[in-house]
Amino acid sequence: MTGPGPGAGRRGSGGPANQPPSSAARTGQWAAAPPVELVSDSTAAHAVRRRSDGLLAANFWTAGTAQELTADGPASVVVRADGRAVTVALSDPTQLRSSVVVDLARRGLKVVAADPGVHVASTGRGVRITADTANLHGATLDLTLKRS
């Protein structure tokens, strides 16, 4: 298989994924066991989870939910757990919002480090992350949490 498979580009198919040039055999292996799983494909958000380590990457077009993430509007968010540490990177892809609010439904997390303008509050389901994004021009803000 050297090109996109059946259904590539159709709504709900996940579409083609970009990968470096490789042999037909390697492409076949990749197609049989893709390294990412499409976990949300809605009008509110598109998200994938990397199979090797569970990294979750989501783009929110509007307010919505993608697995354990809920955003109040447009946002790009990446969540990666590594042992007891959970890192979150987020940004305002529109470059127009003054803040981005994301709920992460994981309990028992405490802040280890946060970029200036990133605030975290506990909720019944996990944590609410509020990031001041005014005048950041889409720059990424980082947060490190630790499971207690």
Side-chain angles (χ1 to χ4, degrees):
M1 178 173 177
T2 57
R10 285 198 320 238
R11 182 94 175 121
S13 71
N18 291 329
Q19 67 173 11
S22 63
S23 68
R26 178 67 184 123
T27 301
Q29 290 171 343
W30 190 91
V36 296
E37 174 187 6
L38 181 67
V39 296
S40 179
D41 183 14
S42 71
T43 57
H46 288 178
V48 296
R49 186 172 299 277
R50 191 164 55 193
R51 295 177 194 273
S52 63
D53 62 2
L55 177 139
L56 176 64
N59 280 316
F60 291 89
W61 319 116
T62 63
T65 298
Q67 295 221 316
E68 67 263 29
L69 293 173
T70 300
D72 72 333
S76 293
V77 186
V78 176
V79 177
R80 182 173 181 262
D82 185 10
R84 291 178 52 214
V86 176
T87 56
V88 179
L90 59 89
S91 68
D92 165 22
T94 69
Q95 301 183 30
L96 301 172
R97 303 185 69 200
S98 60
S99 67
V100 169
V101 178
V102 175
D103 288 344
L104 174 59
R106 291 191 186 186
R107 293 185 177 135
L109 296 173
K110 304 287 184 204
V111 177
V112 174
D115 281 348
V118 177
H119 311 281
V120 179
S122 291
T123 68
R125 297 190 61 219
V127 294
R128 173 163 288 169
I129 304 161
T130 303
D132 299 329
T133 56
N135 301 314
L136 290 184
H137 308 289
T140 301
L141 294 167
D142 295 309
L143 168 67
T144 303
L145 304 157
K146 192 171 219 174
R147 290 188 196 110
S148 49

